[in-house]
């Protein structure tokens, strides 16, 4: 029996369709072409970002041989997030998010290109890096709340949990790949190719944003105001909503405390390796990688589950993260510490992703940017404060006591959240009711 070319295509399609269908059932957010484009573009760009972060840290040490300079770069990059993210949320709620992201991603590309140009012309100085880090922080204060709140417009509410988990997985995949590739490139060619690579890596993100089909975005309800209100009043309205909504306030409070004291493990990873485990650079690298691998596994498991958000799950994962962090501080066995680091990374990402999904499920469309700006403020903006506290306490009391103290404070916040979760759960049930979706 002869078959035509069209028959062959249909036969091949019938063989592939069950596999493709199974994959899309596992990751329903990827059914949306807009999200597929954006997700892939983010993956390429985030690898470039981690490559530049690694190369920039190495370059700062080469220029200054001063660990304080490294801390200064980090503080300058995160300080604008602390200062301006709330206003970034106001802008995210007022302007088309796709247009805003095109602007922020283009500006970040220009900053990376500037760093590369200064490097290859041998004119780079430490103050250049300080200025570029600060400008990147300002850019991130607008980019982060916009990018976070844009997800629901690409996938809709039904696939929101899956999309947030997939974004977490791509971040952690890039964190594993980027620094490893960067180390090989630095050893062979120096830091310059990393800066060029980061600049080029923005091209897929910009292309994905340009290729998005605006007609396929999920409609958002923008609340019309009888009289125009200014940015400060708009910000005040968003903060009042966070304060008066039990579910939102509970998430922000718990995430704020856990982020401030617990989710700064990377700052003390070198001390865990040297003081507790008596390992060198290779041991430090494996500890860092195990944390990232655990986070990646957690994100992928969340993505395949795509289950409705739950306060019990969120707070349980927060408590497990705190317990894992405390055990890392008490462990002096290297293999045990590797396992605990992986467990801690797993719990951290599942807690953070569940909190993110729950926030976006509850927040109304016209306030989502401002709500997510508060989330990004407490999750990322408090990093300099947490780093300073943790660094100070480690110098005074040692790394073991520091991790136990930080874990205990964070665990208390999670336990209080568990006790006070009643009104928040009622809020969430109302948000998940059919008439609200």
């Amino acid at each position: 029996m002869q078959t035509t070319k069209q028959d062959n295509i249909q036969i091949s399609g019938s063989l592939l369709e069950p596999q493709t269908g199974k994959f899309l059932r596992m990751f329903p957010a990827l059914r949306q072409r807009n999200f597929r484009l954006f997700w892939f573009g983010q993956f390429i760009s985030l690898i470039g970002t981690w490559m530049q972060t690694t190369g920039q840290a190495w370059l700062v040490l080469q220029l200054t041989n001063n660990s304080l300079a490294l801390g200064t770069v980090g503080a300058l990059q995160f300080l604008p997030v602390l200062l301006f993210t709330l206003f970034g949320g106001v802008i995210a709620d007022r302007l088309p998010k796709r247009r805003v992201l095109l602007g922020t991603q283009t500006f970040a590309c220009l900053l990376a290109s500037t760093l590369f140009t200064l490097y290859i012309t041998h004119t780079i100085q430490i103050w250049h890096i300080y200025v570029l880090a600060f400008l990147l922080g300002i850019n991130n204060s607008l980019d982060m709340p916009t990018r976070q709140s844009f997800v629901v417009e690409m996938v809709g509410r039904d696939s929101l949990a899956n999309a947030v988990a997939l974004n977490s997985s791509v971040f952690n995949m890039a964190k594993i790949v980027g620094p490893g590739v960067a180390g090989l490139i630095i050893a062979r060619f120096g830091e310059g190719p990393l800066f060029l690579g980061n600049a080029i890596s923005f091209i897929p993100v910009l292309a994905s944003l340009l290729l998005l089909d605006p007609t396929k975005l999920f409609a958002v309800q923008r609340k019309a105001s009888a009289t125009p209100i200014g940015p400060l009043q708009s910000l005040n309205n968003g903060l009042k909503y966070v304060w008066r909504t039990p579910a939102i306030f509970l998430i922000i409070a718990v995430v704020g405390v856990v982020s401030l004291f617990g989710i700064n493990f990377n700052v003390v990873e070198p001390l865990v390796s040297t003081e507790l485990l008596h390992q060198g650079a290779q041991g430090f690298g494996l500890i860092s990688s195990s944390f990232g691998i655990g986070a990646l596994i957690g994100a992928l498991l969340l993505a395949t589950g795509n289950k409705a958000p739950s306060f019990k799950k969120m707070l349980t994962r927060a408590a497990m993260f705190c317990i894992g962090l405390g055990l890392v501080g008490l462990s002096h066995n290297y293999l045990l510490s590797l396992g605990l680091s992986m467990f801690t990374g797993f719990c951290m990402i599942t807690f953070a992703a569940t909190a993110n999904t729950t926030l976006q499920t509850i927040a109304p469309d016209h306030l989502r940017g401002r709500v997510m700006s508060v989330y990004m403020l407490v999750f990322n903006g408090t990093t300099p404060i947490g780093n300073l506290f943790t660094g100070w306490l480690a110098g005074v009391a040692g790394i073991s006591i520091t991790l136990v103290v930080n874990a205990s404070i964070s665990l208390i916040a999670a336990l209080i959240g568990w006790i006070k979760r009643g009104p928040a759960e009622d809020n969430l049930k109302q948000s998940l009711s059919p008439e609200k979706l």
Side-chain angles (χ1 to χ4, degrees):
M1 175 176 137
Q2 292 184 336
T3 58
T4 64
K5 183 177 180 181
Q6 181 64 33
D7 292 331
N8 287 332
I9 292 173
Q10 291 176 349
I11 292 170
S12 298
S14 65
L15 291 174
L16 291 173
E17 187 176 352
Q19 300 301 322
T20 304
K22 183 179 179 181
F23 180 81
L24 291 178
R25 283 194 297 273
M26 290 176 61
F27 305 106
L30 295 177
R31 294 174 186 168
Q32 306 298 330
R33 174 182 174 274
N34 285 339
F35 183 74
R36 286 199 306 271
L37 287 170
F38 188 70
W39 185 81
F40 180 75
Q42 273 199 112
F43 179 53
I44 302 299
S45 181
L46 284 169
I47 290 176
T49 298
W50 280 108
M51 288 169 61
Q52 174 166 307
T53 299
T54 305
Q56 181 176 275
W58 190 260
L59 178 60
V60 169
L61 286 177
Q62 298 300 308
L63 291 173
T64 66
N65 195 29
N66 186 346
S67 59
L68 179 60
L70 277 175
T72 303
V73 171
L76 286 171
Q77 186 168 323
F78 280 103
L79 181 62
V81 177
L82 181 62
L83 297 176
F84 306 125
T85 293
L86 294 179
F87 293 98
V90 173
I91 295 173
D93 282 333
R94 290 188 167 210
L95 298 178
K97 296 178 178 62
R98 176 169 170 262
R99 191 184 306 168
V100 173
L101 290 174
L102 279 169
T104 57
Q105 294 296 307
T106 299
F107 188 68
C109 179
L110 291 174
L111 292 177
S113 301
T114 301
L115 181 58
F116 173 68
T117 302
L118 290 170
Y119 181 87
I120 61 171
T121 56
H122 306 289
T123 56
I124 187 73
Q125 297 181 42
I126 188 62
W127 70 268
H128 292 142
I129 299 177
Y130 289 161
V131 171
L132 291 173
F134 187 74
L135 291 175
L136 181 60
I138 294 176
N139 190 64
N140 286 342
S141 67
L142 175 57
D143 180 84
M144 289 191 299
T146 305
R147 186 157 31 89
Q148 293 285 332
S149 56
F150 188 47
V151 171
V152 73
E153 294 186 26
M154 289 187 285
V155 303
R157 286 180 176 269
D158 289 345
S159 300
L160 179 60
N162 182 251
V164 171
L166 283 170
N167 279 342
S168 298
S169 68
V170 82
F171 177 86
N172 284 285
M173 281 190 284
K175 186 178 180 181
I176 293 170
V177 174
V181 173
L184 296 175
I185 292 176
I186 291 173
R188 178 79 174 172
F189 304 105
E191 302 91 348
L194 302 177
F195 308 144
L196 176 62
N198 186 39
I200 294 173
S201 74
F202 284 100
I203 295 176
V205 174
L206 293 171
S208 70
L209 288 168
L210 291 171
L211 290 171
L212 290 185
D213 185 353
T215 65
K216 296 295 178 63
L217 292 175
F218 287 77
V220 295
Q221 299 176 356
R222 299 189 182 278
K223 189 175 181 180
S225 177
T227 57
I229 60 175
L232 289 178
Q233 182 60 45
S234 181
L235 174 60
N236 185 51
N237 291 344
L239 293 177
K240 282 183 178 178
Y241 174 79
V242 170
W243 177 260
R244 294 172 179 173
T245 307
I248 301 290
F249 181 77
L250 178 66
I251 294 170
I252 295 296
V254 174
V255 169
V257 175
V258 175
S259 295
L260 184 62
F261 295 101
I263 306 180
N264 48 25
F265 179 63
N266 61 308
V267 178
V268 294
E269 278 178 347
L271 293 177
V272 171
S273 177
T274 55
E275 290 189 17
L276 289 183
L277 305 175
H278 308 292
Q279 300 289 320
Q282 183 178 1
F284 161 57
L286 288 175
I287 286 286
S288 180
S289 296
S290 64
F291 186 88
I293 291 170
L296 175 59
I297 293 171
L300 289 174
L301 284 178
L302 277 181
T304 56
N306 193 36
K307 295 180 180 178
S310 161
F311 274 100
K312 288 183 178 180
K313 291 178 182 178
M314 185 192 80
L315 294 169
T316 299
R317 287 160 181 163
M320 291 169 66
F321 164 75
C322 299
I323 293 170
L325 183 65
L327 291 176
V328 169
L330 295 175
S331 171
H332 293 271
N333 181 281
Y334 183 58
L335 291 178
L336 176 61
S337 294
L338 285 176
L340 288 172
S341 295
M342 188 177 296
F343 172 78
T344 305
F346 175 91
C347 296
M348 185 274 288
I349 203 66
T350 52
F351 157 63
T354 304
N356 186 319
T357 302
T358 309
L359 273 182
Q360 297 211 52
T361 300
I362 297 168
D365 292 333
H366 68 283
L367 288 170
R368 183 171 287 106
R370 278 163 284 182
V371 170
M372 293 312 297
S373 72
V374 178
Y375 173 78
M376 297 312 298
L377 172 67
V378 300
F379 190 72
N380 282 329
T382 56
T383 297
I385 301 172
N387 288 356
L388 287 174
F389 172 80
T390 299
W392 168 79
L393 186 59
V396 172
I399 184 58
S400 184
I401 292 178
T402 297
L403 290 179
V404 171
V405 169
N406 283 1
S408 299
I409 295 173
S410 301
L411 182 59
I412 290 171
L415 293 175
I416 292 175
W418 182 273
I419 295 170
K420 300 288 187 179
R421 74 184 190 280
E425 288 186 329
D426 293 338
N427 250 177
L428 181 59
K429 288 179 182 177
Q430 293 174 5
S431 299
L432 293 173
S433 62
E435 60 270 16
K436 291 283 185 177
L437 295 176

